Amino acid sequence: MGRRILIICTLLLTACSGRVSRSGADSGMEYARWFDLIPEGIVTISPSDNHRDTLIVPRPLDRLVCMSSSYLAYLDGIGCDSVVVGVSGIGYVTDPSIRERYQATRNGTAARPLYDIGYDADPDYERIVALQPDLLIAYSVSAAEPAWLSRLRDLGIPVLLLSEQLENHPLARAEYVRLFGALTGRREKADSVFTAIRDRYESLRVETDSPVPVLLNMPYADQWFVPGADNYMTRLVRDAGGEVLGSAPGTSASRIMSLEEAWMLAGEARAWLNPGWCRSREQLSDQLPSFSRFDIPVIYNNIRRSTDGGGNDFWESGALRADRVLDDLVRILRTAKENPQKTVPGDSLYYFIPVE
């Protein structure tokens, strides 16, 4: 009980008054829109109404529960994923050190145990309370705080709610490593990591007057989603020298494209990226027989580093390593433009595989 009182007293989460007009220009962050750093801690900004919350961090935190695998990547990037004591859905985690520590915990041999605390819809409240975390870090897809998070707060668990998944610039997502540096007392290390990623990303960016036409995704439950022109994935493709076909201008929101429209756009495409779970053209043809008539010369999927449980490192470490994602895409789209009959050597790609 004494440690719980100490945590509540020293880790103060307070709502600041007022509303702000938020843009990258008025922030200490270079790209991120939904958080800022102050000398004594972190300010998070609500995407729904720009409300600001301040998290005071009087000491480096060393017991964290992470509800998203991308948070593990930020911590690993600054060399301190050992602070993680709980994760949500270990089957979705690709980080080998986290998976090994979880297995060692099950075997009773872990020097620092790590537990799976379940999923956000139905977390293991008893386990979370027993872990006595300094902070539970979560995300939300709605303006209203989920009931499970409210219950955790009622149980005395300090909660930090992030909106990293809503950032549309790849470097904005990468910049969240600086937030995790602030939590763990590694601000300088985090700044150095981010600067290196930013500089490499900018050096890889392709500017072209003739972008490669790219078909993106495939139907999910009979609905084909295409991200808007301001979306994270669309920006990555654009920075790699491509153009997402069917992408609506002036928005980050995805729209549903009919199969008929997709069929028409497939005739223009010189590359196809991220066609669901497909690893071969035969699988792709089985899923979408009508598309087999199109000779889209270059097809790649971002599933090279995936787990049997359904995890995908593209969404884990890729959140931090925007430069590594862009490097893959530049290689793929350059091939589509210059030599479409050639396959990019598999060992030169980190997240993608050719669909052959």
Side-chain angles (χ1 to χ4, degrees), residues 148-257:
W148 67 273
L149 279 181
S150 298
R151 182 177 176 187
L152 283 173
R153 293 187 195 275
D154 292 341
L155 291 170
I157 302 299
V159 172
L160 176 64
L161 199 59
L162 300 183
S163 300
E164 161 254 338
Q165 79 282 3
L166 298 181
E167 300 281 5
N168 291 320
H169 198 295
L171 289 176
R173 297 193 184 189
E175 197 165 19
Y176 276 68
V177 71
R178 300 175 67 183
L179 181 150
F180 284 84
L183 289 176
T184 57
R186 299 198 177 194
R187 285 200 185 197
E188 289 187 7
K189 174 64 174 177
D191 288 344
S192 174
V193 167
F194 173 71
T195 298
I197 290 171
R198 178 203 63 197
D199 291 351
R200 182 167 184 252
Y201 186 98
E202 291 296 343
S203 72
L204 289 167
R205 283 182 62 243
V206 174
E207 295 186 7
T208 178
D209 293 329
S210 55
V212 177
V214 174
L215 189 65
L216 195 62
N217 302 331
M218 73 178 301
Y220 177 77
D222 295 326
Q223 295 183 319
W224 195 312
F225 291 92
V226 182
D230 296 337
N231 186 274
Y232 165 81
M233 193 66 207
T234 309
R235 186 181 293 271
L236 276 167
V237 170
R238 185 164 60 247
D239 285 348
E243 177 185 18
V244 174
L245 295 168
S247 184
T251 181
S252 63
S254 295
R255 71 180 185 89
I256 298 175
M257 176 171 62

Side-chain angles (χ1 to χ4, degrees), residues 56-290:
I56 306 301
V57 186
R59 58 177 176 80
L61 309 184
D62 65 359
R63 296 185 64 81
L64 302 180
V65 172
C66 296
M67 301 302 292
S68 170
S69 63
S70 61
Y71 305 158
L72 306 177
Y74 296 125
L75 291 165
D76 179 66
I78 54 177
C80 62
D81 61 354
S82 61
V83 303
V84 180
V85 295
V87 298
S88 173
I90 190 68
Y92 289 96
V93 173
T94 63
D95 185 320
S97 65
I98 293 291
R99 294 175 67 90
E100 289 167 9
R101 190 148 62 93
Y102 172 75
Q103 191 58 50
T105 300
R106 296 190 67 186
N107 296 337
T109 59
R112 185 174 175 84
L114 181 147
Y115 296 91
D116 188 338
I117 54 80
Y119 300 100
D120 50 12
D122 186 27
D124 187 337
Y125 296 103
E126 184 175 351
R127 171 70 72 186
I128 294 171
V129 171
L131 286 174
Q132 294 190 324
D134 293 336
L135 191 65
L136 181 143
I137 310 171
Y139 63 93
S140 177
V141 295
S142 64
E145 181 170 281
W148 67 273
L149 279 181
S150 298
R151 182 177 176 187
L152 283 173
R153 293 187 195 275
D154 292 341
L155 291 170
I157 302 299
V159 172
L160 176 64
L161 199 59
L162 300 183
S163 300
E164 161 254 338
Q165 79 282 3
L166 298 181
E167 300 281 5
N168 291 320
H169 198 295
L171 289 176
R173 297 193 184 189
E175 197 165 19
Y176 276 68
V177 71
R178 300 175 67 183
L179 181 150
F180 284 84
L183 289 176
T184 57
R186 299 198 177 194
R187 285 200 185 197
E188 289 187 7
K189 174 64 174 177
D191 288 344
S192 174
V193 167
F194 173 71
T195 298
I197 290 171
R198 178 203 63 197
D199 291 351
R200 182 167 184 252
Y201 186 98
E202 291 296 343
S203 72
L204 289 167
R205 283 182 62 243
V206 174
E207 295 186 7
T208 178
D209 293 329
S210 55
V212 177
V214 174
L215 189 65
L216 195 62
N217 302 331
M218 73 178 301
Y220 177 77
D222 295 326
Q223 295 183 319
W224 195 312
F225 291 92
V226 182
D230 296 337
N231 186 274
Y232 165 81
M233 193 66 207
T234 309
R235 186 181 293 271
L236 276 167
V237 170
R238 185 164 60 247
D239 285 348
E243 177 185 18
V244 174
L245 295 168
S247 184
T251 181
S252 63
S254 295
R255 71 180 185 89
I256 298 175
M257 176 171 62
S258 68
L259 285 179
E260 290 76 13
E261 182 182 359
W263 194 84
M264 293 177 62
L265 293 176
E268 304 175 29
R270 303 308 299 157
W272 190 350
L273 297 176
N274 307 342
W277 54 269
C278 295
R279 292 177 173 268
S280 69
R281 289 183 182 247
E282 182 179 3
Q283 291 175 335
L284 196 52
S285 180
D286 288 343
Q287 291 296 304
L288 294 170
S290 62

Side-chain angles (χ1 to χ4, degrees), residues 313-334:
D313 197 35
F314 179 87
W315 301 110
E316 186 172 313
S317 73
L320 171 64
R321 293 303 304 270
D323 61 320
R324 191 177 276 163
V325 175
L326 185 62
D327 186 40
D328 275 8
L329 289 172
V330 167
R331 292 171 187 268
I332 291 168
L333 297 186
R334 182 184 296 135

Side-chain angles (χ1 to χ4, degrees), residues 33-53:
R33 300 184 63 203
W34 307 122
F35 85 92
D36 208 344
L37 298 181
I38 55 177
E40 60 272 26
I42 297 160
V43 176
T44 56
I45 298 95
S46 169
S48 62
D49 62 3
N50 284 334
H51 182 72
R52 299 169 69 95
D53 285 330

